[in-house]
Amino acid sequence: MIQPQQITPPMSAERAREIAATFDLRALPADFLANPFPVYALLREHEPVRRMPDGSLFLTRHADLMAVYRDAAVFSSDKHVEFAPKYGVGSPLYEHHTTSLVFNDPPLHTRVRKLIMGALTRRAIADMEPGLVTLVDQLLDRIEAQGGGDLVEDFASAIPVEIIGNLLGVPHADRGPLRDWSLAILGALEPVPTPEQHAAGNRSVTEMLAYLRTLVAARRQAPGDPERDVLTRLIQGEASGEKLSEVELLQNCIFLLNAGHETTTNLIGNGLILMQEFPAQRKQLLADLRTAGTDEAAREQVLTLAVDECLRFESSNQLGNRRALTAATVGGVALDAGALVTLCIGAANRDPAVYDQPETLNLRREGNKHLAFGFGIHQCAGLSLARLEGRIAIGRFLARFPRFELSAPPVRGGRARFRGFLSAPFRTA
Ligand code: HEM
């Protein structure tokens, strides 16, 4: 069984300062990914605006991340400058990432976001709930028949692929390669991707583009309901006549398919593995759900708090990036125009200045202002959908298998940016 996460071990003040003062995201210690939180705590305390050897800054305080998120005019999301040396101008990864809304500033960002948000309305998301419940129950039936399985392979990763596939109207028969494409394209965002990660990412963008061209052509022939169908909405553009170019359309479809995929898989996988790591919390959550009984609103409230705490404690997306367009100051440190900034969501989410007992998982935590979905103009466009998936998946899994246990140590994805597991074998009881 996994031991509860360790808080910063006892060490001399000198050693603590040294660890913070030598932190380099491009040269992480071997044991960092298993538990980065003690290092984040040292950074927050001793080097909250850490200037790394490549000159970029690594921010770990909640208030500093908020200041950057709030000032989108100074802190740009546009990655043309940063990604040119990383991927090579004209490479599939470069074209993809520099055209997606998340890595652009207004006006492209605003145009695409408006179209996506128009289809992700509260009603549209509520309409997805019955299908989601059916899907989750079918997965649970299969797991029950086998007496267990793999939390990630057989459950967590099987949910977002269907939800996002439905959102864009990808036929079921075509969904097979979506997960691998997504893992490869987002994997290339690692601080220092390997040559294999570069190659797999480029190949996946090319394959995905080819696939989406045929999907878009078919949808142009037979449009869906633009109130519900994101792809039809992106194709048709706004009523005002503002349309996306073909490249903008295809690249943002790729982004959308990827954005809601690994992140949500990791929310569900991390959440369930936390239940195993913190048995007292699991017990309390099960008791709260029993008390809520058949009162759907009460159950939703209990699960909403639990899901948000899982997101705070083990954020699927640990890092974000911005570039200062002009000279600026963050956390009292002056930055030159052009400075690159890494926002460490995982560290900000455990900032003692904001959270009571931040290193403790508390599934009843109220007023949880975590930054797992970012903040400001780029705040996750799919957050309500992700929360719904988390509630239904974790809630129904626990209701069916309240005493499930891992049967072997879970295997980490091995990435600094996206935090989650590749596999986690378990028994239902
Ligand atoms: C637990 C699941 C998820 C997490 C942790 C997550 C996290 C994030 C974060 C941190 C950002 C902001 C990036 C930045 O500021 O640079 C973001 C943006 C975005 N996410 Fe999510 N996400 C999740 C699920 C989803 C889902 C299900 C969808 C799709 C339906 C989605 C669609 C998007 C989009 C379109 C953006 C770009 C928004 C913009 O640039 O305006 N995400 N997400």
Side-chain angles (χ1 to χ4, degrees), residues 178-234:
L178 290 180
R179 181 169 182 227
D180 284 346
W181 282 338
S182 162
L183 285 169
I185 294 170
L186 297 183
L189 288 173
E190 277 300 281
V192 191
T194 62
E196 292 75 30
Q197 282 174 316
H198 270 287
N202 279 321
R203 201 171 48 242
S204 297
V205 173
T206 306
E207 288 175 7
M208 234 174 154
L209 277 176
Y211 172 67
L212 282 167
R213 273 190 204 100
T214 58
L215 187 73
V216 166
R219 199 63 52 87
R220 282 192 204 283
Q221 292 283 317
D225 172 4
E227 293 301 316
R228 307 289 170 91
D229 179 42
V230 179
L231 185 53
T232 299
R233 210 176 171 91
L234 290 171

Coordinates of all heavy atoms in Angstrom, one line a residue, residues 178-234:
L178 N -7.6 8.2 -30.4 CA -7.6 9.6 -29.8 C -6.7 9.7 -28.5 O -6.0 10.7 -28.4 CB -9.1 9.9 -29.4 CG -10.1 10.2 -30.5 CD1 -11.4 10.6 -30.0 CD2 -9.5 11.4 -31.4
R179 N -6.7 8.7 -27.7 CA -6.0 8.8 -26.4 C -4.5 8.8 -26.7 O -3.8 9.7 -26.1 CB -6.3 7.6 -25.5 CG -5.5 7.8 -24.2 CD -6.0 6.8 -23.1 NE -5.2 7.1 -21.9 CZ -4.6 6.2 -21.2 NH1 -4.8 4.9 -21.5 NH2 -4.0 6.5 -20.1
D180 N -4.0 8.0 -27.6 CA -2.6 8.0 -27.9 C -2.1 9.3 -28.6 O -1.1 9.8 -28.3 CB -2.2 6.8 -28.7 CG -2.2 5.5 -27.9 OD1 -2.2 5.6 -26.7 OD2 -2.2 4.4 -28.5
W181 N -3.0 9.8 -29.5 CA -2.7 11.1 -30.1 C -2.5 12.2 -29.0 O -1.6 13.0 -29.0 CB -3.8 11.5 -31.1 CG -3.7 10.8 -32.4 CD1 -2.6 10.1 -33.0 CD2 -4.8 10.6 -33.3 NE1 -3.0 9.6 -34.2 CE2 -4.3 9.9 -34.4 CE3 -6.2 11.0 -33.3 CZ2 -5.1 9.5 -35.5 CZ3 -7.0 10.7 -34.4 CH2 -6.5 9.9 -35.5
S182 N -3.5 12.1 -28.1 CA -3.6 13.2 -27.1 C -2.3 13.1 -26.2 O -1.7 14.1 -25.9 CB -4.8 13.0 -26.3 OG -4.8 13.7 -25.1
L183 N -2.0 11.9 -25.7 CA -0.8 11.7 -24.9 C 0.4 12.2 -25.6 O 1.3 12.8 -25.0 CB -0.7 10.2 -24.5 CG -1.7 9.7 -23.4 CD1 -1.6 8.2 -23.3 CD2 -1.4 10.3 -22.0
A184 N 0.6 11.9 -26.9 CA 1.8 12.3 -27.6 C 1.9 13.8 -27.8 O 2.9 14.4 -27.6 CB 1.8 11.5 -28.9
I185 N 0.8 14.4 -28.2 CA 0.8 15.8 -28.5 C 1.1 16.6 -27.2 O 1.9 17.6 -27.2 CB -0.5 16.3 -29.2 CG1 -0.5 15.6 -30.6 CG2 -0.5 17.8 -29.3 CD1 -1.8 15.8 -31.3
L186 N 0.4 16.3 -26.1 CA 0.6 17.0 -24.8 C 1.9 16.6 -24.2 O 2.6 17.4 -23.5 CB -0.6 16.7 -23.9 CG -1.9 17.3 -24.4 CD1 -3.0 17.0 -23.3 CD2 -1.9 18.7 -24.8
G187 N 2.4 15.4 -24.4 CA 3.7 14.9 -23.9 C 4.8 15.8 -24.4 O 5.8 16.0 -23.7
A188 N 4.7 16.3 -25.6 CA 5.8 17.1 -26.2 C 5.8 18.5 -25.6 O 6.7 19.3 -25.8 CB 5.5 17.2 -27.7
L189 N 4.9 18.8 -24.7 CA 4.9 20.1 -24.0 C 5.8 20.0 -22.7 O 6.0 21.0 -22.1 CB 3.5 20.5 -23.5 CG 2.5 21.0 -24.6 CD1 1.1 21.2 -24.0 CD2 3.0 22.3 -25.2
E190 N 6.3 18.8 -22.4 CA 7.2 18.7 -21.3 C 8.4 19.7 -21.4 O 8.8 20.1 -22.5 CB 7.8 17.3 -21.2 CG 6.9 16.3 -20.5 CD 6.6 16.6 -19.1 OE1 7.4 16.4 -18.2 OE2 5.5 17.2 -18.9
P191 N 8.9 20.2 -20.2 CA 10.0 21.2 -20.3 C 11.1 20.8 -21.2 O 11.6 21.6 -21.9 CB 10.5 21.2 -18.8 CG 9.3 20.8 -18.0 CD 8.5 19.8 -18.8
V192 N 11.6 19.5 -21.2 CA 12.6 19.1 -22.1 C 12.2 17.8 -22.8 O 12.5 16.7 -22.4 CB 14.0 18.9 -21.4 CG1 15.1 18.7 -22.4 CG2 14.3 20.0 -20.4
P193 N 11.4 17.9 -23.9 CA 10.9 16.6 -24.5 C 12.1 15.9 -25.1 O 13.1 16.4 -25.6 CB 10.0 17.1 -25.6 CG 10.0 18.6 -25.6 CD 10.9 19.1 -24.6
T194 N 12.0 14.5 -25.1 CA 13.0 13.7 -25.7 C 12.8 13.6 -27.2 O 11.7 14.0 -27.7 CB 12.9 12.2 -25.2 OG1 11.6 11.7 -25.6 CG2 13.0 12.2 -23.7
P195 N 13.8 13.2 -28.0 CA 13.6 13.1 -29.4 C 12.4 12.2 -29.8 O 11.6 12.5 -30.7 CB 14.9 12.4 -29.9 CG 15.9 12.8 -28.9 CD 15.2 12.9 -27.6
E196 N 12.2 11.1 -29.0 CA 11.0 10.3 -29.2 C 9.7 11.0 -29.0 O 8.7 10.9 -29.7 CB 11.0 9.0 -28.3 CG 12.2 8.1 -28.5 CD 13.5 8.6 -28.0 OE1 13.6 9.4 -27.0 OE2 14.6 8.2 -28.6
Q197 N 9.7 11.9 -27.9 CA 8.5 12.6 -27.7 C 8.2 13.6 -28.8 O 7.1 13.8 -29.2 CB 8.6 13.4 -26.3 CG 8.3 12.4 -25.1 CD 8.6 13.1 -23.8 OE1 9.6 13.9 -23.6 NE2 7.7 12.9 -22.8
H198 N 9.3 14.2 -29.3 CA 9.1 15.1 -30.5 C 8.5 14.4 -31.6 O 7.6 14.9 -32.3 CB 10.5 15.7 -30.9 CG 10.9 16.9 -30.2 ND1 10.3 18.1 -30.5 CD2 11.8 17.2 -29.3 CE1 10.9 19.1 -29.8 NE2 11.8 18.5 -29.0
A199 N 9.1 13.2 -31.9 CA 8.7 12.5 -33.1 C 7.2 12.0 -33.0 O 6.4 12.2 -33.9 CB 9.6 11.3 -33.4
A200 N 6.9 11.5 -31.8 CA 5.5 11.0 -31.6 C 4.5 12.2 -31.7 O 3.4 12.0 -32.2 CB 5.4 10.3 -30.3
G201 N 4.9 13.3 -31.1 CA 4.0 14.5 -31.1 C 3.8 15.0 -32.5 O 2.6 15.2 -33.0
N202 N 4.8 15.1 -33.3 CA 4.7 15.5 -34.7 C 3.8 14.6 -35.5 O 3.0 15.0 -36.3 CB 6.1 15.7 -35.4 CG 6.7 17.0 -35.0 OD1 6.0 18.1 -34.9 ND2 8.0 17.0 -34.7
R203 N 4.1 13.3 -35.3 CA 3.4 12.3 -36.1 C 1.9 12.4 -35.7 O 1.0 12.3 -36.6 CB 3.9 10.9 -35.7 CG 3.6 9.8 -36.8 CD 4.4 8.5 -36.5 NE 4.3 8.1 -35.1 CZ 5.3 8.0 -34.2 NH1 6.5 8.3 -34.6 NH2 5.2 7.6 -33.0
S204 N 1.6 12.5 -34.4 CA 0.2 12.5 -34.0 C -0.5 13.8 -34.5 O -1.7 13.7 -34.9 CB 0.2 12.5 -32.5 OG 0.7 11.3 -32.0
V205 N 0.1 14.9 -34.5 CA -0.6 16.1 -35.1 C -0.9 15.8 -36.6 O -2.0 16.1 -37.0 CB 0.3 17.4 -35.0 CG1 -0.3 18.6 -35.7 CG2 0.6 17.8 -33.5
T206 N 0.0 15.3 -37.3 CA -0.2 15.0 -38.7 C -1.4 14.1 -38.9 O -2.3 14.3 -39.7 CB 1.1 14.5 -39.4 OG1 2.1 15.4 -39.1 CG2 0.9 14.3 -40.9
E207 N -1.4 13.0 -38.1 CA -2.4 12.0 -38.3 C -3.8 12.6 -37.9 O -4.8 12.3 -38.5 CB -2.1 10.8 -37.4 CG -1.0 9.9 -38.0 CD -0.6 8.8 -37.1 OE1 -1.2 8.5 -36.0 OE2 0.5 8.2 -37.4
M208 N -3.8 13.4 -36.8 CA -5.0 13.9 -36.3 C -5.6 14.9 -37.3 O -6.8 15.0 -37.5 CB -4.8 14.6 -35.0 CG -5.7 14.1 -33.9 SD -5.3 14.8 -32.3 CE -6.9 14.7 -31.5
L209 N -4.7 15.7 -37.9 CA -5.2 16.7 -38.9 C -5.8 16.0 -40.1 O -6.9 16.4 -40.5 CB -4.0 17.5 -39.5 CG -3.5 18.7 -38.7 CD1 -2.3 19.3 -39.3 CD2 -4.6 19.7 -38.5
A210 N -5.2 14.9 -40.5 CA -5.8 14.1 -41.7 C -7.1 13.6 -41.3 O -8.1 13.7 -42.1 CB -4.8 13.0 -42.0
Y211 N -7.2 13.1 -40.1 CA -8.5 12.5 -39.6 C -9.6 13.6 -39.6 O -10.7 13.5 -40.1 CB -8.4 11.8 -38.3 CG -9.8 11.5 -37.8 CD1 -10.5 10.5 -38.5 CD2 -10.4 12.2 -36.7 CE1 -11.8 10.2 -38.1 CE2 -11.7 11.9 -36.4 CZ -12.4 10.9 -37.0 OH -13.7 10.6 -36.7
L212 N -9.2 14.8 -39.0 CA -10.2 15.8 -38.8 C -10.7 16.5 -40.1 O -11.8 16.9 -40.2 CB -9.6 16.9 -37.8 CG -9.7 16.5 -36.4 CD1 -8.8 17.4 -35.5 CD2 -11.1 16.5 -35.8
R213 N -9.8 16.5 -41.1 CA -10.2 17.0 -42.4 C -11.4 16.2 -42.9 O -12.4 16.8 -43.4 CB -9.1 16.9 -43.4 CG -8.2 18.1 -43.4 CD -7.2 18.2 -44.5 NE -6.1 19.0 -44.1 CZ -4.9 18.5 -43.6 NH1 -4.7 17.2 -43.7 NH2 -4.0 19.4 -43.2
T214 N -11.4 14.9 -42.7 CA -12.5 14.1 -43.2 C -13.7 14.3 -42.3 O -14.8 14.4 -42.8 CB -12.2 12.6 -43.3 OG1 -11.8 12.2 -42.0 CG2 -11.0 12.2 -44.2
L215 N -13.5 14.4 -41.0 CA -14.6 14.6 -40.1 C -15.3 16.0 -40.4 O -16.5 16.1 -40.5 CB -14.1 14.6 -38.7 CG -15.2 14.7 -37.6 CD1 -16.0 13.3 -37.5 CD2 -14.6 15.0 -36.2
V216 N -14.5 17.0 -40.7 CA -15.1 18.3 -40.9 C -15.8 18.3 -42.3 O -16.9 18.9 -42.4 CB -13.9 19.4 -40.9 CG1 -14.4 20.7 -41.5 CG2 -13.4 19.6 -39.5
A217 N -15.2 17.7 -43.3 CA -15.9 17.6 -44.6 C -17.2 17.0 -44.4 O -18.2 17.4 -45.0 CB -15.0 16.8 -45.6
A218 N -17.3 15.9 -43.6 CA -18.6 15.2 -43.5 C -19.6 16.1 -42.7 O -20.8 16.1 -43.1 CB -18.4 13.9 -42.7
R219 N -19.1 16.8 -41.8 CA -20.0 17.7 -41.0 C -20.5 18.9 -41.8 O -21.6 19.4 -41.6 CB -19.3 18.2 -39.7 CG -20.3 18.7 -38.6 CD -21.2 17.6 -38.1 NE -20.5 16.4 -37.7 CZ -20.0 16.3 -36.5 NH1 -20.2 17.2 -35.6 NH2 -19.3 15.2 -36.2
R220 N -19.6 19.3 -42.7 CA -20.1 20.4 -43.6 C -21.3 19.9 -44.5 O -22.2 20.7 -44.8 CB -18.9 20.8 -44.6 CG -17.9 21.7 -43.9 CD -17.0 22.3 -45.0 NE -15.7 22.7 -44.5 CZ -15.5 23.8 -43.8 NH1 -16.5 24.7 -43.5 NH2 -14.3 24.1 -43.4
Q221 N -21.2 18.7 -44.9 CA -22.2 18.1 -45.7 C -23.5 17.9 -44.9 O -24.6 18.1 -45.4 CB -21.8 16.6 -46.2 CG -20.7 16.6 -47.2 CD -21.2 17.0 -48.6 OE1 -22.2 16.5 -49.0 NE2 -20.4 17.8 -49.3
A222 N -23.3 17.5 -43.7 CA -24.5 17.2 -42.8 C -24.3 17.9 -41.5 O -23.9 17.2 -40.5 CB -24.6 15.7 -42.6
P223 N -24.6 19.2 -41.4 CA -24.3 19.9 -40.1 C -25.2 19.4 -39.0 O -26.3 18.9 -39.2 CB -24.7 21.4 -40.5 CG -24.9 21.4 -42.0 CD -25.1 20.0 -42.4
G224 N -24.7 19.5 -37.7 CA -25.5 19.2 -36.6 C -26.2 20.4 -36.0 O -26.2 21.5 -36.7
D225 N -26.7 20.3 -34.8 CA -27.4 21.4 -34.1 C -26.3 22.3 -33.5 O -25.6 21.9 -32.6 CB -28.3 20.8 -33.0 CG -28.9 21.9 -32.2 OD1 -28.7 23.1 -32.4 OD2 -29.6 21.6 -31.2
P226 N -26.2 23.6 -34.0 CA -25.1 24.4 -33.5 C -25.2 24.8 -32.0 O -24.2 25.2 -31.4 CB -25.2 25.7 -34.4 CG -26.5 25.6 -35.1 CD -26.9 24.2 -35.1
E227 N -26.4 24.6 -31.5 CA -26.6 24.8 -30.0 C -25.9 23.7 -29.2 O -25.6 23.9 -28.0 CB -28.1 24.8 -29.6 CG -28.9 26.0 -30.2 CD -28.3 27.3 -29.8 OE1 -28.0 27.5 -28.6 OE2 -28.2 28.2 -30.7
R228 N -25.7 22.6 -29.8 CA -25.2 21.4 -29.0 C -23.8 20.9 -29.6 O -23.0 20.4 -28.9 CB -26.1 20.2 -29.1 CG -27.5 20.6 -28.6 CD -27.5 20.8 -27.1 NE -28.8 21.4 -26.7 CZ -29.8 20.6 -26.3 NH1 -29.7 19.3 -26.2 NH2 -30.9 21.2 -25.9
D229 N -23.7 21.1 -30.9 CA -22.6 20.4 -31.6 C -21.4 21.4 -31.8 O -21.5 22.3 -32.5 CB -23.1 19.8 -32.9 CG -21.9 19.2 -33.6 OD1 -21.1 18.4 -33.0 OD2 -21.8 19.4 -34.9
V230 N -20.4 21.2 -31.0 CA -19.3 22.1 -31.0 C -18.6 22.3 -32.4 O -18.3 23.3 -32.9 CB -18.2 21.7 -30.0 CG1 -17.0 22.7 -30.0 CG2 -18.7 21.7 -28.6
L231 N -18.5 21.1 -33.1 CA -17.9 21.2 -34.4 C -18.7 22.0 -35.4 O -18.1 22.8 -36.1 CB -17.6 19.7 -34.9 CG -16.9 19.6 -36.2 CD1 -15.5 20.4 -36.1 CD2 -16.6 18.1 -36.5
T232 N -20.0 21.8 -35.4 CA -20.8 22.6 -36.3 C -20.7 24.0 -36.0 O -20.6 24.9 -36.8 CB -22.3 22.1 -36.1 OG1 -22.4 20.7 -36.5 CG2 -23.2 22.9 -37.0
R233 N -20.6 24.3 -34.7 CA -20.5 25.7 -34.3 C -19.2 26.3 -34.7 O -19.2 27.5 -35.2 CB -20.6 25.8 -32.7 CG -21.2 27.0 -32.2 CD -21.3 26.9 -30.7 NE -21.7 28.3 -30.3 CZ -22.9 28.7 -30.2 NH1 -23.9 27.8 -30.4 NH2 -23.2 29.9 -29.8
L234 N -18.1 25.6 -34.6 CA -16.8 26.1 -35.0 C -16.8 26.2 -36.5 O -16.2 27.2 -37.0 CB -15.7 25.1 -34.5 CG -15.4 25.1 -33.0 CD1 -14.5 23.9 -32.7 CD2 -14.9 26.4 -32.5

